[in-house]
Amino acid sequence: FLKRHYKEYEDMTFVSAGLQSAGRGRNNRRWSASKGKNLTFSLLIKDKEVMEAYQALSVVSAYSIVKTLEAYGIKDLKIKWPNDVYVKDAKICGILLEGVSVKEMECLIIGIGLNVNEEVFEKDLLHEAVSMKLVLNRSVDLQDLKEKVYRDLCDYIEKVKKKTDLYPEIGNYDYLKGKSAYCKINGFDQKIEVIGIDEDYSLKVICDNQIMNLSSSEVTFHL
């Protein structure tokens, strides 16, 4: 909807869906959500300064969700670079950033799917899934959550615009840090050792005995 109608809406417009049957994650992975049980939404970014901070924005969006979930009492939260949120080893939130370009970048859309009151998940060989309800053993009011998620995202996007250094905080939530993984780098599968999220929000790894930094557009992980 936002990709079709971005010209009609202001910066920081928030659009949510009560039912999602054909959501899309990174690398065209399918994401579905039961009617009225989860929070699936997109946020429109038109501020040029913010769009230029694409790499930071990806990780900081995940960090914003982490802070929201912590306010609800959820612990053991991690960010799986560049922008998935995990509780222990189970995924609770997925994020996808997409740009709309004509002659230049017109806007950036942050799409987020957060598992809230879902109790049963389809089997997915890539990861386990969990919801806020399964962690907290209670239902969560979607409207209250939606308002808090929006406020927190606005706050952290403003920090990105002001170039606030969030790296020391975000480094404490690094899920991949110190792990071995297989990843597809520029079309080729490689085994890597992850050093961790770097100060510029790229991922520092060891590959073929060399230290290198990966951008989110280059790599797909499986542990």
Side-chain angles (χ1 to χ4, degrees):
F1 176 83
L2 281 178
K3 285 169 77 173
R4 290 197 306 270
H5 300 283
Y6 69 90
K7 291 182 180 179
E8 303 163 32
Y9 293 94
E10 297 179 357
D11 182 48
M12 300 303 289
T13 294
F14 181 107
V15 177
S16 63
L19 169 66
Q20 185 177 67
S21 58
R24 184 165 56 85
R26 283 172 56 79
N27 304 300
N28 290 314
R29 292 189 187 117
R30 183 172 173 272
W31 180 289
S32 61
S34 301
K35 185 175 181 179
K37 288 190 174 183
N38 303 289
L39 188 54
T40 51
F41 65 91
S42 292
L43 184 68
L44 178 65
I45 305 293
K46 299 177 88 170
D47 186 304
K48 298 294 185 184
E49 276 188 84
V50 177
M51 285 194 287
E52 287 172 1
Y54 178 91
Q55 189 153 277
L57 195 60
S58 179
V59 178
V60 170
S61 296
Y63 184 58
S64 171
I65 297 295
V66 164
K67 302 313 287 184
T68 301
L69 296 178
E70 284 186 336
Y72 276 81
I74 296 177
K75 300 178 181 179
D76 298 315
L77 287 153
K78 296 289 183 182
I79 296 169
K80 184 183 176 188
W81 184 90
N83 46 22
D84 285 339
V85 179
Y86 276 53
V87 180
K88 295 182 179 178
D89 291 316
K91 184 174 175 179
I92 195 168
C93 178
I95 302 173
L96 179 69
L97 272 65
E98 291 187 274
V100 177
S101 299
V102 183
K103 291 182 179 179
E104 59 179 15
M105 185 75 79
E106 298 280 322
C107 68
L108 191 64
I109 297 169
I110 305 175
I112 300 183
L114 176 59
N115 298 330
V116 184
N117 293 318
E118 197 74 59
E119 296 180 82
V120 179
F121 294 95
E122 295 179 14
K123 290 292 183 183
D124 187 332
L125 295 178
L126 293 173
H127 59 254
E128 294 182 27
V130 73
S131 67
M132 294 178 71
K133 183 175 183 178
L134 291 175
V135 175
L136 297 171
N137 293 313
R138 62 177 175 85
S139 295
V140 175
D141 184 282
L142 280 176
Q143 187 60 38
D144 289 345
L145 176 64
K146 185 187 298 186
E147 291 172 6
K148 178 158 180 56
V149 163
Y150 181 68
R151 287 196 305 270
D152 288 348
L153 273 169
C154 288
D155 288 346
Y156 278 98
I157 288 171
E158 185 64 23
K159 290 179 190 293
V160 169
K161 187 174 179 179
K162 291 179 178 178
K163 296 180 169 57
T164 304
D165 184 11
L166 297 169
Y167 171 73
E169 303 171 31
I170 289 173
N172 295 323
Y173 295 87
D174 190 347
Y175 178 77
L176 290 171
K177 186 175 182 178
K179 287 184 167 68
S180 297
Y182 290 94
C183 67
K184 191 177 290 293
I185 302 175
N186 296 327
F188 296 95
D189 285 321
Q190 306 225 30
K191 185 176 182 180
I192 60 170
E193 302 293 327
V194 179
I195 297 173
I197 298 171
D198 210 346
E199 293 183 7
D200 64 353
Y201 301 105
S202 64
L203 191 71
K204 183 177 286 187
V205 304
I206 299 172
C207 182
D208 290 334
N209 296 316
Q210 293 185 324
I211 293 176
M212 60 190 296
N213 285 64
L214 305 176
S215 69
S216 60
S217 61
E218 294 174 319
V219 59
T220 299
F221 281 101
H222 56 281
L223 297 176

